Amino acid sequence: MRVGFVQFDCRFGEIENNAYRAAHFISHQRADLWVLPELFNTGYQFVSKREVAALAEPVPNGPTTQRLIRMAKENKTHLVAGLAERSGKSFYNSSVLVGPKGLIGLYRKIHLFYEETRWFTPGNLRFQVHPVGKARVGMMVCFDWFFPEAARSLALLGADLIAHPSNLVLPYCPDAMPTRCLENRLFAVTANRVGSESRGTETLTYIGMSEVVDPKGKILYRASDKNEEAHVVEIDPKLARNKSLNRYNDLIKDRRNRFYVKS
Ligand code: ACM
């Protein structure tokens, strides 16, 4: 299975142009699954709820999801992409999984980061896993990585791969994802953006370093911290089905649930 990410500098409010650029990146290499950054169509640094209201779109009938479905059809691929979703009176920092036939999955970011808490409603959907070819794919968005329960939930649902659209500004995630992958024995594709935004009173600089990590915590490929690029890696998703560490230990079966604190 060929899985890839697009790391690029999404321009705030330029929905058409951002989608056009993402389409351009994925048209040059074949992949079975592409992951695009968080809020790839709108940009990240909203400064008012009114801006979110003006740019958020319904899923699946909004123009960005429809465009992603066309991209999947034209390139015979699947895509996971972050976007601002409008649902009734609420706005979610969401991620969609689409294929040539349409929308397959929707995830609404559960752990909102920093000022996102001012504009978005925390996700209200459970973690889910969906088939993409022979792989089972789960989604989480950026800051969710900081909560090991997110990746663990996806692992317990049987995910072989976590698709992880991101707009990282703190430095920790690229070095932390190998641990998430190691402890859950699964693959992850983190698609981060580069560039910076200075729309409010502060500048946010996005750290790039998008990466593909394997179930042993090995970084199969990591992008630079500044440059735009699309990169594809060949993986065998079946490797994520083997949770055993040695003859005596299985990282999922050995869990001692009754000793863990729930809250
Ligand atoms: C983040 O969750 N965008 C840091």
Side-chain angles (χ1 to χ4, degrees):
M1 180 181 190
R2 290 170 62 81
V3 297
F5 60 75
V6 180
Q7 169 169 300
F8 75 117
D9 183 357
C10 318
R11 297 297 162 89
F12 191 88
E14 298 183 17
I15 291 181
E16 270 283 321
N17 185 41
N18 290 330
Y20 174 83
R21 297 202 65 223
H24 182 75
F25 274 112
I26 71 158
S27 67
H28 286 93
Q29 293 176 72
R30 197 189 69 71
D32 302 296
L33 174 69
W34 284 103
V35 186
L36 307 183
E38 176 182 13
L39 296 171
F40 92 97
N41 61 333
T42 57
Y44 182 78
Q45 199 183 27
F46 290 97
V47 295
S48 72
K49 198 150 184 171
R50 192 178 302 173
E51 280 188 343
V52 182
L55 294 173
E57 303 175 15
V59 173
N61 293 327
T64 298
T65 309
Q66 289 302 312
R67 175 82 179 252
L68 289 164
I69 293 166
R70 284 202 304 281
M71 283 160 64
K73 224 182 265 178
E74 282 161 19
N75 295 279
K76 297 189 175 60
T77 189
H78 288 72
L79 291 118
V80 167
L83 50 80
E85 182 197 357
R86 166 207 304 280
S87 175
K89 290 202 168 85
S90 301
F91 304 106
Y92 297 98
N93 182 343
S94 296
S95 165
V96 293
L97 166 61
V98 304
K101 293 191 188 139
L103 181 75
I104 296 168
L106 168 67
Y107 169 70
R108 294 171 171 160
K109 187 176 185 179
I110 287 175
H111 305 98
L112 296 177
F113 176 71
Y114 197 47
E115 289 198 312
E116 291 168 34
T117 56
R118 298 175 65 190
W119 334 122
F120 293 110
T121 300
N124 58 354
L125 304 175
R126 292 188 168 273
F127 288 106
Q128 284 184 41
V129 169
H130 308 276
V132 172
K134 291 199 164 75
R136 300 185 291 229
V137 173
M139 293 183 277
M140 66 182 194
V141 173
C142 203
F143 191 51
D144 283 328
W145 78 266
F146 233 123
F147 301 83
E149 295 86 349
R152 178 64 101 203
S153 297
L154 291 170
L156 292 175
L157 289 168
D160 302 318
L161 181 146
I162 296 177
H164 184 209
S166 295
N167 277 186
L168 297 161
V169 291
L170 301 177
Y172 316 115
C173 181
D175 288 341
M177 283 310 287
T179 303
R180 293 287 162 278
C181 290
L182 178 66
E183 66 203 3
N184 292 297
R185 287 279 160 148
L186 43 63
F187 291 90
V189 181
T190 297
N192 192 26
R193 56 165 292 181
V194 286
S196 59
E197 291 177 313
S198 300
R199 306 193 62 255
T201 53
E202 61 193 317
T203 299
L204 295 180
T205 298
Y206 303 98
I207 66 166
M209 296 194 273
S210 298
E211 63 189 12
V212 180
V213 184
D214 83 1
K216 292 192 171 166
K218 181 170 175 215
I219 297 168
L220 300 178
Y221 183 81
R222 179 183 279 181
S224 80
D225 59 353
K226 287 197 178 57
N227 301 326
E228 297 189 319
E229 73 170 289
H231 193 89
V232 176
V233 171
E234 180 102 33
I235 63 162
D236 179 0
K238 279 200 305 295
L239 296 177
R241 309 263 165 107
N242 178 8
K243 307 296 186 188
S244 91
L245 196 59
N246 56 47
R247 271 197 290 168
Y248 302 100
N249 294 112
D250 178 292
L251 292 171
I252 296 299
K253 290 190 191 127
D254 287 358
R255 296 171 70 244
R256 307 287 312 279
N257 242 331
R258 71 192 167 97
F259 292 103
Y260 303 152
V261 176
K262 212 149 184 220
S263 232

